[in-house]
Structure formats: C-alpha cells, structure tokens
Amino acid sequence: MSLQCGIVGLPNVGKSTLFNCLSNAKAQSANFPFCTIEPNVGVITVPDERLIKLGELCHPERGIIPTTVEIVDIAGLVKGASKGEGLGNKFLANIRETDAIIHVLRCFDDENVVHVDGTVDPVRDKEIIDAELQLKDLETVESRIAKTEKQAKAGGDKQAKLALDVLLKYREALSQGRSARTVELINKEEEAAAKEMFLLTNKPVMYVCNVDEASAVNGNKYVEQVREAVKDEHAQVLVLAAKIESEIAELETYEERQMFLEEIGLQESGVNRLIKSAYALLNLRTFLTAGSDEVRAWTFKAGSKAPQCAGVIHTDFERGFIRAEVIKYDDFIALGGESACRAAGKLGIEGKDYVVQDGDIMHFLFNV
C-alpha cells in the first residue's frame, strides 16, 4: 500500500532538514529559496515497539519487517504559486499527488537563516500557503461547476446533480477563505463525490512547528500562536526542533540517541512522533503476522474487513478467503505465544465481516 505524505511550507522553514532526518536521502538543504525543485521521496519505516517484543518471543529466522510510509519533500511555495509564481504550478501538482500534507512552519528566530518574507510569523506563513492552495482549488471548482451544471441540466444525471451540490458547497467555503476540509458533507454519497475531486485543501493536514533547541520540549510563543490559529481545523500540531533531530540522526546507536533525548528532556524523538502521526493522519492501522519465519507489520486502512487485509499480503488471500485466526497482541505477549493462546482459548476464528483492529495478530486461511 503506497501512501504518501507531502512536506510543504515556505522556503527556508526547515522542510529539507526535516526530510533528511526522516530518511537517508540526501535532499539538498541550503539557505536560499528553491534549493528543492524535484520532490525527494523517502520510504520511511514506521516505528512500532510491538515488533521488538514479538521478535523476542518468536526469534524469527528472517527477522523483523516493519511497515512503511512515503514522505515527499516538495519545494517551498511562495505567494502567487497558484498563478505559477516560483515554479508554483509544478509544486502544486506535486502536492496533488500526495494523500496528506505535513505543513512545516518556522517557529524559531535565527538571524543567520533568511526568511523569504523578512520576519518570523508562522501564522502569516500558514495563511500564505492556505491562500495559494485555496485559490488553486477555487479555480478547479469553478471549472468543474461549468461542466457539471450542463450535465445535471441536460441529461437529468443524478450523479452530476450530487457532484454539483458538493461543488457549490466547496465554492462557498473557498470564496470565504476556508479550506475544503472544513465543509460538512451530509452523507457517504457526498463524501464519495468529494473524493473524486482531489482538492488540495481537502487533504488531511498536520502542522509541524519547527522550533529551536530551547523550545523542543514545551514549545514557545510561536507554537501557541499556531495552536490558536488552527484550533477550529481539527488538525494535528506537532512540535520538533529539526536542527536537534539532524544531530540525533547522526548518532549511531539506539542507546546514544536515547541518552541525547533524556539530556534535553524528551522521551521520544520528534521524527518518531512525526512518522507515527503521519501514519495516523492517513487513517492507517497495522495488523501483524508473527512466527518462527518472520515477524511483520502490514498496513491497512482503518475500518477494513478481514478479506481486504488478507489481500494486503497477497491478492490470492483475498480472492480465496475462508477465515482468519486472530490473536490480540496483549494476549500474545501475556501468554507467551500462539500455542499458549490456542490452549487458553484466546485465538478467535473470524469470518469475512470481521473488522480488523490495530495490533491484531492474523493468520489467514484461503483456497484458490
């Protein structure tokens, strides 16, 4: 399941520094706008402590295989991007291809790092990006309304009428400077129609406040300004210091990294927190397989049923699905493995209507 989060923001807010921390890709990080022109893509391992505990119990021959999510570093947007300023059209097209947005905001003072607008103001920066994405969406919506109105009137097309209703809702919101994600859709039919529109401001968003080292634990005045500005958006806000994260990334051992984190008062690196939050932002969950051959995490969309999850492993598993054997992770750890769970009656037999839960340890039976 290839799903992507795109990192966006104004130039020089720390996007490429953060991307370098997230992956071993060597995205250029320089003190001038547009040092990133082609989007860099990193396949990022999702941290999951459960895999380590399962590995200790199962001693898998092939080892532990975590799940991943793709992170795309998109070049810095500037005012006027919706009209093509600063290579805007190319950048907006790159955003359109992603499933969710990680919006990096500069929340630190540093006279040695140029700000494209001269002063540090993360709320203003956020509004600049929002406005450019909203303007592009409004352009898209206006164009689609013109076509959809003709279809709805000419042929009495019910789907066209439904799409038109949704488009009109979006036009009203975008004209008022609100993002598409703030629009309330009344049923699943409207939600399905909205999905087909691929609007930039309908993507889930997480705001990452890039702070200085002194603010890495408790944030600062800029972070509070961001929290206040986005309080009605139902968006995630995450605080991290990209400069510190880059230093942590250079440390070779887990023990060294933990010592470093403890010294500055953090339990977990900002990068780990960001990856986990990005995974949740995409509405993803993990089921597990555990045995003597391998321990592995598999990605699925929240709400998926057993056959769909079987298909994540192989399409034949879904096509010939018979049933699933399910052990809850906590039971597996507490009792010490599959055999003990079977003996204790903690192994459930589930059919095609079972909704898989995060952390379920699964074994699928199928016949093709």
Side-chain angles (χ1 to χ4, degrees):
M1 184 179 289
S2 180
L3 291 164
Q4 292 185 338
C5 286
I7 302 180
V8 305
L10 293 180
N12 289 357
V13 297
K15 299 184 314 302
S16 292
T17 302
L18 180 58
F19 179 84
N20 285 336
C21 298
L22 286 165
S23 74
N24 292 323
K26 299 299 179 186
Q28 183 186 3
S29 183
N31 185 22
F32 59 91
F34 311 123
C35 65
T36 309
I37 295 177
E38 294 301 326
N40 296 277
V41 180
V43 179
I44 313 299
T45 296
V46 178
D48 193 333
E49 295 78 7
R50 295 173 299 193
L51 293 173
I52 297 168
K53 291 186 177 180
L54 289 172
E56 290 169 353
L57 277 176
C58 298
H59 307 292
E61 287 181 20
R62 293 203 299 268
I64 295 172
I65 304 172
T67 191
T68 60
V69 64
E70 289 185 3
I71 305 288
V72 186
D73 179 23
I74 296 168
L77 290 176
V78 294
K79 196 177 293 184
S82 60
K83 302 299 180 188
E85 293 292 329
L87 305 179
N89 289 332
K90 186 176 181 62
F91 300 162
L92 290 167
N94 290 333
I95 295 171
R96 196 177 299 282
E97 292 168 7
T98 65
D99 300 287
I101 294 172
I102 298 171
H103 189 160
V104 181
L105 296 167
R106 176 171 168 175
C107 294
F108 65 89
D109 294 304
D110 187 339
E111 61 185 19
N112 296 316
V113 180
V114 177
H115 190 289
V116 71
D117 282 327
T119 57
V120 177
D121 185 342
V123 175
R124 176 203 59 207
D125 295 353
K126 169 200 170 317
E127 289 171 351
I128 288 171
I129 298 287
D130 282 353
E132 295 306 321
L133 299 184
Q134 288 162 6
L135 285 169
K136 196 65 181 177
D137 276 351
L138 186 57
E139 182 185 307
T140 301
V141 165
E142 293 283 14
S143 172
R144 290 192 180 185
I145 284 174
K147 293 177 186 175
T148 311
E149 269 182 328
K150 291 178 184 175
Q151 293 173 338
K153 288 176 183 175
D157 187 332
K158 287 185 179 179
Q159 278 304 114
K161 177 69 170 65
L162 177 69
L164 181 60
D165 289 344
V166 175
L167 285 165
L168 292 172
K169 288 182 183 181
Y170 281 146
R171 181 169 70 179
E172 182 181 4
L174 292 163
S175 299
Q176 294 171 356
R178 293 188 290 119
S179 294
R181 74 179 71 87
T182 65
V183 171
E184 294 288 336
L185 300 175
I186 60 174
N187 53 40
K188 288 183 178 179
E189 287 74 21
E190 283 196 349
E191 288 173 7
K195 220 175 245 186
E196 297 298 313
M197 295 170 192
F198 300 104
L199 297 181
L200 300 171
T201 64
N202 214 12
K203 296 178 186 291
V205 64
M206 170 169 51
Y207 295 101
V208 174
C209 296
N210 183 16
V211 300
D212 53 39
E213 181 175 349
S215 308
V217 177
N218 298 315
N220 55 29
K221 65 178 182 180
Y222 296 128
V223 174
E224 292 311 310
Q225 289 166 11
V226 171
R227 286 193 171 122
E228 178 63 24
V230 306
K231 65 182 181 182
D232 297 324
E233 291 189 30
H234 308 294
Q236 297 181 44
V237 176
L238 188 140
V239 178
L240 61 74
K243 191 173 180 183
I244 289 178
E245 297 297 325
S246 64
E247 292 174 17
I248 293 171
E250 290 175 6
L251 298 174
E252 293 185 5
T253 68
Y254 173 79
E255 288 74 19
E256 286 177 311
R257 291 192 287 272
Q258 286 305 114
M259 283 178 63
F260 188 101
L261 288 167
E262 285 172 16
E263 284 174 12
I264 59 174
L266 292 172
Q267 293 184 328
E268 186 177 27
S269 74
V271 163
N272 272 17
R273 287 184 286 116
L274 187 144
I275 296 169
K276 289 177 179 178
S277 295
Y279 195 70
L281 189 65
L282 290 167
N283 202 25
L284 301 178
R285 302 291 184 268
T286 302
F287 73 85
L288 308 160
T289 53
S292 58
D293 52 347
E294 69 177 25
V295 167
R296 184 163 181 164
W298 303 86
T299 299
F300 69 97
K301 277 278 188 185
S304 297
K305 294 183 178 180
Q308 294 169 297
C309 288
V312 171
I313 298 176
H314 197 288
T315 53
D316 283 351
F317 284 28
E318 181 173 8
R319 191 158 54 93
F321 179 85
I322 299 172
R323 63 180 182 272
E325 296 180 344
V326 184
I327 302 173
K328 298 300 178 186
Y329 170 79
D330 288 343
D331 290 335
F332 195 99
I333 296 299
L335 295 173
E338 182 180 328
S339 297
C341 287
R342 282 183 185 273
K346 294 293 185 180
L347 184 147
I349 304 298
E350 303 292 350
K352 63 181 180 180
D353 291 327
Y354 176 70
V355 178
V356 177
Q357 302 300 305
D358 185 68
D360 278 355
I361 297 172
M362 312 282 293
H363 178 236
F364 297 104
L365 286 84
F366 71 102
N367 183 31
V368 176

